[in-house]
Amino acid sequence: MEYKREKPVSLKIMESLAKRGELTPKERQYLQQLQKGFAGERVFDQMSTQLSKNCLIMNDLLLQPDASNAFQIDSLILTNKAIYLYEIKNYSGEYCYGEEMLLKLPNFKVSNPLIQVQTTKNKLILFLKELQYDIDVKAYVTYVNPEFTLFNAPRRENILLPTQLNKHFTTLENQSIPLTAFHKKIAADFAAHQIEPTPFKNDIPNYSFSDLRKGICCEKCNSFHLELQRIKYHCCSCMYERSINSALLASIKEYQLLFPDNNLNTEMLFRWCNKAVTKKRIRRVLNTLL
């Protein structure tokens, strides 16, 4: 059983700003980091699909304990024997291991993710204690990119390299037995304490309605070069075709994402869509959201 992973809000916003505005080199680098991180999480998700219903997979948890600060978990797998916590990294290239820092050759340093995953593990253990659960917790830094090399890596059980992942999941599957009501109650308590993530505002560039390009985009390639027919649209860039209402709904949701504090109204959305569709159509699609 799996709780599906959603694209992070920060990534959605940055992709929209890249499509409708101009990003600085630093902002584009931030977008690429978000995209790479999400791609790595999707790789992990695909590999973990081999696990049966005897395991419960929960992704992108942002847990708010009653007695401490919220903390985030990339992926968590609940089995009959233990909770497995994964900090997923999509690093590529050649790195040298260090207790405090990893050195990407020739001279770029990043913090050792083992420090981060140990902190998260400690927070999870305290949270389980708060909820009065006694269950073992195992935590791993999980490197998913096949083009990642880690020189001088110690033989430690809490590091999973790309070549070890299939074996890890196979072992987990072979050892798993059906979950009990006890485990399902843990999952329910996690869900009850989960909160909605908010974007890291310091990393999101300032933007306004007037700054952004208006129009309806192709849902496949994000092109604004659309030929609108009576019911469907034809993308002149990638030849994709779908209903106009589908693209319009996507544009409305994009507006909601970028301007969550603004009320939805037909006139503003008419301007947001660059007057490409009628107000009557906008009202009809808008009614499906209200």
Side-chain angles (χ1 to χ4, degrees), residues 106-138:
N107 56 12
F108 179 74
K109 291 184 178 181
V110 295
S111 296
N112 189 332
L114 281 174
I115 299 172
Q116 181 179 354
V117 80
Q118 185 60 52
T119 299
T120 305
K121 178 182 178 181
N122 292 341
K123 291 180 179 180
L124 179 58
I125 290 172
L126 290 173
F127 181 49
L128 289 166
K129 184 177 181 181
E130 176 184 304
L131 297 175
Q132 298 183 331
Y133 290 120
D134 183 14
I135 186 169
D136 192 22
V137 176
K138 300 180 182 293

Side-chain angles (χ1 to χ4, degrees), residues 87-250:
E87 177 67 32
I88 302 167
K89 297 299 180 186
N90 193 18
Y91 296 165
S92 59
E94 297 182 335
Y95 286 73
C96 286
Y97 181 86
E99 287 294 329
E100 295 185 1
M101 306 289 287
L102 302 185
L103 172 64
K104 182 176 183 181
L105 300 177
N107 56 12
F108 179 74
K109 291 184 178 181
V110 295
S111 296
N112 189 332
L114 281 174
I115 299 172
Q116 181 179 354
V117 80
Q118 185 60 52
T119 299
T120 305
K121 178 182 178 181
N122 292 341
K123 291 180 179 180
L124 179 58
I125 290 172
L126 290 173
F127 181 49
L128 289 166
K129 184 177 181 181
E130 176 184 304
L131 297 175
Q132 298 183 331
Y133 290 120
D134 183 14
I135 186 169
D136 192 22
V137 176
K138 300 180 182 293
Y140 301 89
V141 174
T142 309
Y143 299 99
V144 297
N145 196 317
E147 298 182 3
F148 172 76
T149 302
L150 185 59
F151 295 111
N152 304 323
R155 292 181 61 86
R156 299 178 64 166
E157 292 184 357
N158 52 355
I159 296 177
L160 289 174
L161 298 173
T163 53
Q164 298 174 305
L165 289 174
N166 274 326
K167 182 179 178 181
H168 172 77
F169 287 124
T170 299
T171 301
L172 211 59
E173 172 65 16
N174 291 339
Q175 293 177 348
S176 297
I177 59 177
L179 299 175
T180 67
F182 168 77
H183 302 92
K184 293 173 183 177
K185 189 172 185 303
I186 293 176
D189 274 338
F190 282 174
H193 285 81
Q194 185 163 359
I195 59 175
E196 288 295 321
T198 55
F200 295 103
K201 293 185 178 180
N202 291 340
D203 296 318
I204 302 293
N206 293 325
Y207 59 89
S208 65
F209 183 88
S210 60
D211 295 333
L212 301 180
R213 182 174 180 177
K214 314 301 186 295
I216 298 175
C217 305
C218 172
E219 295 165 273
K220 186 175 182 180
C221 74
N222 288 330
S223 170
F224 286 87
H225 193 193
L226 305 184
E227 179 183 292
L228 301 183
Q229 300 166 1
R230 189 173 68 86
I231 296 175
K232 65 181 181 180
Y233 69 86
H234 171 82
C235 178
C236 300
S237 298
C238 73
M239 309 303 141
Y240 183 70
E241 291 185 345
R242 202 175 180 191
S243 74
I244 294 175
N245 284 0
S246 177
L248 176 56
L249 181 61

